[in-house]
Structure formats: structure tokens, C-alpha cells
Amino acid sequence: MNWSNPKPALTISRLQPSHDSRIEATIAARPALYFAHAVIALLVAGCSVGPRYKQPVTKLQPYQNAPAIESRTAAPPAPALDTWWTGFNDPALTKIVERALAQNLDLAASFTRVQQARAAAQAAGAKRMPNFDLEGDSIASRESLDSPTGRFATTLPGLDFNRNSNYLDLGIGATWETDIFGSLRRGAEAANAEEKAAEADRLGTRVSIVGEAADAYMQVRGAQVRLAFAQEQITTDEHLLQLVSQRKNAGIASDRELAQAEALLTQARATVPQLNIILAAELNRLDVLMGAQPGTYAAELSAPMDIPVVPGIAGTLEASELLRRRPDIVAAERRIAASNARIGQAIAEYYPKISLSALLGNEAISPGDLFRARAFQPTAVAGLRWRLFDFGRVDAEVKQARGANAEALIQYRSSVLRATEDVEDAFNALAQSESRRDEIASEIGSLQRVKNLSEQSYKAGVIPLTDVLDADRQLLVAKDDLATTRESAARAAIASFRALGGGWTP
């Protein structure tokens, strides 16, 4: 695996002076006009300080276990990764997955996080726009005769002092930070990237919920199949114990043979509580995944069914597709972009910030005079804020932003490595489980022949019935082992779909 680190580059748009002699003469004669033009052009064009973002380039080697997966010929056709659960051809599984997607609380919570991130991005973008305010005041007052003004007015002879006064004020104000060096622009870029990361996290939650629901379903079906085999095993061992007891009473069997038969029956019965624990736990897990109290939907799966057949995994298993399909990798890449923009936002603090404010106001003592020309009172303000003596703190903020960017890049690399690990582990588990399944199937075929031959020998009077029951018990043990292996293969297939980022549409 080769990595190419993005190389930050400082990008600042600069105004280039013209080399035309006439313009130079004009500038020499009118420096104030040139400065004004330069300021206006700078306000309009602006510039962005900080590193330019370059998406990390990642080259992945082919999967080591891909040939074993691609060589699976007996499997049904591979479904689309977007809806891979339909490839199992199990309506109950499809219903569970759709219900989990519609009702899962973790998925609902992830959607609210996306809404929060989207609102933060909108707020960051709105800071770049002018802010308009409408203000109005109406003040009515009565002057006190004991106030300095009242005392002075009462001492003047012939003055008709009106103690009542009204004052009206109405105006529209606007404030705009020019964002010459791109602090707000970089902040908006970071917020937008964080919104995309939150959306990718939501999709990652969706992939996990689908995978967990399907995994729990397979364990439910596996436990049901194994419970059926356990019950058959108990019936066989009870029959065997009954025969051994009869032989013991007849003086043919020994105490050791009787104790051995009792132990086999106890062992078979002991597997039932363990399987019931697994079954109940996975049913409860499914209910919670579907946003319901445990026990709500358990009755829908009470009827035992066989473990679904594992379909093909994918038509092509290109490792490069992992970078596009895995939501956690997409989220990690977007966080690199966000942290890169935060560097520019921090660097912009080295430069001055200019804000423009204006107020179109009217002041009058009566409503009739409020909109007359003499009541018009406009105001314009240009503000400058520069952390000129705070560069030590700005240096620390820039270092912190660069450190966060370096951490985000490391997290991205770690996400890619973990994703490839998930794929390799799932592919290997699936290949090995199906290989073991084939071996156990061959073993069952041999044990079935042993059982048939034992029944023939028993009917011919060559061997006792205990040998026939023992052969039947060995066959049931092998079938239970096969059910466990088929369940493991189905769960490995689900892990493969999940590791590949299946369950959503890119």
C-alpha cells in the first residue's frame, strides 16, 4: 500500500500592478485613487490564506482472499451491494432489514446529527453575508421639575416649559465583514466538509444496522436448526439408554455401559438451555435493532426455518472500490478536508479584519415628521480589528490546527487499513467455513452409509440395536456441526457485504 501525502500550499490572490506607463503616471499623480481602487478590488476578489486541499492518494493492493471468493461456483448469483440482503432470497430477512432501517433509533439519532451539522454549515455560510437589522424606538418622557433642566427652565421668566416630550427613531442597519483573507470562507469550507462527514457517519450507521440485523437473523435460524437436531439427539439417546438398561437388567450390559449411556443423554439435554439462551438473546437483539421492546416481534420468527443459502459476494472485487463505498473512509477523508480548512482559518488571524456598517435612520419628535428629509440621519462606519499584539496565541492556534490535520490524516490511513482488514478477515472466514462445510457434508454422507449398513446388519442379527443407535447419534452430531458451519458461513458472508460497504447507494 502506497500513500501520497497532500502537500499544503499557501494560496493568496495578489493584485499585480500594471506596467502601462499611462497608468503608472496616473498612479503617481493620484496615489489616493489607486489605493481606493486597490481596496475595492481586494474587497471584491478577496484571497484565501492557508494550504490548498489535496485529497490523499491511496493505492491498494488486490485482496489476498479474493481468488477464493471469486472461485465460488455453487453459490447463487451475487446481489447488488446496495441491497445485498435480498440475495439470500429470504422474505423474513428482507422484512427485518427494512423494518430496522425504518425504525432503528441509532439510525434516527445519526440523522439528527446530520441535521445539526447541516445547520452549522448553513450558519457558517451565512456569516459571509451582510447582516441586516431593522430597529425602531418610541420614547415618551415627562421632565422632572427637580432635574437640572427643569430647575433651569422654571427660573426663566416667560418661558413656556413643556415637560412632555416624544422621540421616534426608525432605521435599517447593515453590517458586513469583508473577509479579505478568507477566515469566514475557510470556516464555511470546514463546516461543509464536517456536514459531509456527518452524512457519511449516518451511512456507516446504516451499514452497521443492516449487517447486525442480518447477523442476528442468521443466529436465530442457526439456533432453531440446532435445537431440532438436539431434540432428535435426545430422542435417540433416550432410546439408547432404555435398551442399555434392559440389557443391564438381563445381565448382558455392564454398569460402565449404563453410565456411559446416561452421560450421553445428559450431554444432549445440556445443549438445549445453551441454544435457548442464544435464541432468546438474538431475538431480543433483533427487536432492539427494529426500535421495539424485546419480545415485540419474537412471535414472527417462532416457526423454525432453515438457514438461507449464501449468495455470491460481488461480480468484481476491486480493492479501489473500498475507498468509495466504505462510509467510514469517506468520513475520514472529509475530516481531513475540514481540518485543512481550519488551518487556513487559523492563519487568517494573522491578518486584519475589516468590517463595514451602515445605518439609514430617521429621527423625529412626531410620526408626521419621521420620513421627512430633515429627519433623515444616515451613518457609515468602517471598522478594523487586528490581533497585532496577539501573534503568540495565533501561532499556537495555527499549530493546533496543523496538529489536528495531521491526526485526521493518520485516522484516514488507519480507517483504510482497518477496512482492508475487515474485508480480508471476512473473505477468509467465508472461504474456510464453506470448505469446512463441504468436508462435514462428506462426513455426513459417510455416516449415513454407516447408519444404513448398521440397520441392515441389525436386521440380519449380526450387531445389536445399540450399535445402530450409536451410528444414528454420530450422524446427528455431524448434522449439528454442519448447521453450525452453515451459520458461520452465512455470518461470514454478511460480514463480507458489510466490510465492502454494502447497504447504501453511493
Side-chain angles (χ1 to χ4, degrees):
M1 182 182 299
N2 298 322
W3 303 89
S4 175
N5 291 328
K7 298 181 179 179
L10 184 65
T11 60
I12 304 179
S13 303
R14 299 184 182 273
L15 294 173
Q16 300 296 335
S18 171
H19 296 286
D20 188 281
S21 59
R22 291 173 299 176
I23 296 180
E24 289 178 355
T26 304
I27 293 174
R30 303 173 65 183
L33 180 60
Y34 170 74
F35 177 76
H37 288 171
V39 170
I40 293 174
L42 190 62
L43 292 178
V44 175
C47 60
S48 296
V49 297
R52 179 181 300 168
Y53 178 65
K54 293 183 179 179
Q55 186 173 355
V57 179
T58 307
K59 295 181 180 178
L60 298 178
Q61 301 298 324
Y63 298 126
Q64 296 180 1
N65 293 289
I69 301 302
E70 292 173 341
S71 62
R72 298 171 64 240
T73 57
L81 279 177
D82 301 353
T83 55
W84 56 261
W85 55 89
T86 59
F88 287 90
N89 294 320
D90 191 325
L93 173 60
T94 301
K95 182 179 180 180
I96 287 173
V97 170
E98 291 176 351
R99 184 180 288 163
L101 290 176
Q103 302 176 184
N104 183 264
L105 298 181
D106 292 334
L107 193 57
S110 68
F111 182 72
T112 62
R113 289 191 290 271
V114 172
Q115 291 178 320
Q116 296 173 44
R118 184 174 296 124
Q122 292 174 350
K127 291 180 179 179
R128 300 180 59 192
M129 306 300 294
N131 180 30
F132 294 91
D133 295 317
L134 176 62
E135 298 180 358
D137 294 316
S138 177
I139 301 175
S141 64
R142 180 177 177 82
E143 190 69 35
S144 172
L145 296 178
D146 290 333
S147 67
T149 302
R151 290 182 178 183
F152 178 76
T154 55
T155 60
L156 297 176
L159 177 65
D160 185 12
F161 177 48
N162 186 5
R163 299 172 59 187
N164 299 319
S165 63
N166 294 315
Y167 177 77
L168 301 176
D169 184 6
L170 180 64
I172 298 177
T175 304
W176 178 43
E177 183 175 335
T178 57
D179 195 30
I180 298 176
F181 298 98
S183 175
L184 298 180
R185 187 181 303 111
R186 291 297 194 183
E189 290 177 5
N192 287 330
E194 289 166 353
E195 177 194 352
K196 298 298 188 296
E199 177 63 24
D201 287 337
R202 183 189 71 83
L203 294 173
T205 303
R206 174 188 173 95
V207 170
S208 298
I209 294 303
V210 171
E212 290 184 19
D215 181 81
Y217 178 79
M218 294 303 170
Q219 293 193 65
V220 167
R221 293 312 186 193
Q224 290 175 339
V225 172
R226 294 184 62 194
L227 279 171
F229 287 141
Q231 191 58 49
E232 292 183 27
Q233 185 69 62
I234 291 172
T235 301
T236 299
D237 289 343
E238 287 176 344
H239 194 186
L240 177 62
L241 177 60
Q242 182 181 4
L243 291 176
V244 173
S245 298
Q246 293 175 355
R247 290 167 59 87
K248 172 67 172 54
N249 294 333
I252 302 175
S254 63
D255 291 337
R256 182 184 66 83
E257 292 175 333
L258 181 61
Q260 185 178 14
E262 291 174 347
L264 291 175
L265 177 58
T266 303
Q267 182 181 14
R269 288 174 174 172
T271 61
V272 174
Q274 182 180 2
L275 293 174
N276 282 327
I277 290 174
I278 296 174
L279 179 60
E282 296 307 319
L283 287 173
N284 293 338
R285 178 186 174 195
L286 278 176
D287 286 336
V288 173
L289 287 171
M290 291 184 287
Q293 182 178 347
T296 303
Y297 300 111
E300 295 182 3
L301 300 177
S302 59
M305 291 183 61
D306 196 13
I307 302 170
V309 178
V310 177
I313 298 301
T316 58
L317 300 175
E318 295 292 337
S320 59
E321 281 291 299
L322 200 65
L323 304 178
R324 185 179 66 92
R325 288 211 61 99
R326 283 281 294 231
D328 55 339
I329 296 179
V330 175
E333 185 274 328
R334 285 291 83 199
R335 290 191 173 95
I336 298 177
S339 62
N340 183 83
R342 296 295 183 194
I343 296 176
Q345 188 178 22
I347 292 176
E349 293 299 312
Y350 285 118
Y351 302 92
K353 298 181 183 297
I354 299 176
S355 61
L356 302 177
S357 301
L359 175 64
L360 302 178
N362 294 272
E363 296 181 359
I365 60 175
S366 65
D369 296 333
L370 187 61
F371 295 101
R372 292 184 178 181
R374 65 179 186 178
F376 183 53
Q377 182 175 288
T379 304
V381 179
L384 173 67
R385 184 178 69 87
W386 195 354
R387 299 172 62 179
L388 190 60
F389 303 102
D390 199 21
F391 281 175
R393 185 178 298 179
V394 175
D395 288 340
E397 293 172 356
V398 172
K399 290 179 181 179
Q400 182 180 10
R402 292 190 184 278
N405 179 252
E407 179 186 3
L409 180 59
I410 293 174
Q411 291 293 341
Y412 173 80
R413 294 175 174 177
S414 178
S415 297
V416 174
L417 291 177
R418 287 197 300 267
T420 54
E421 178 189 14
D422 292 342
V423 174
E424 295 289 2
D425 289 345
F427 282 2
N428 181 63
L430 177 58
Q432 297 300 326
S433 295
E434 291 189 333
S435 176
R436 186 171 186 271
R437 177 202 61 191
D438 296 339
E439 294 296 333
I440 296 176
S442 178
E443 176 190 3
I444 290 176
S446 299
L447 290 175
Q448 185 65 50
R449 290 194 299 272
V450 171
K451 177 185 176 181
N452 295 338
L453 293 174
S454 298
E455 290 177 349
Q456 294 176 6
S457 299
Y458 170 72
K459 292 178 180 179
V462 178
I463 61 173
L465 181 59
T466 53
D467 291 351
V468 177
L469 296 177
D470 185 64
D472 191 23
R473 185 184 62 82
Q474 293 181 18
L475 179 60
L476 290 174
V477 170
K479 288 182 177 180
D480 178 78
D481 198 9
L482 178 62
T484 302
T485 305
R486 289 181 58 206
E487 176 191 328
S488 299
R491 296 180 64 192
I494 293 170
S496 299
F497 287 122
R498 182 175 177 178
L500 292 172
W504 67 287
T505 304

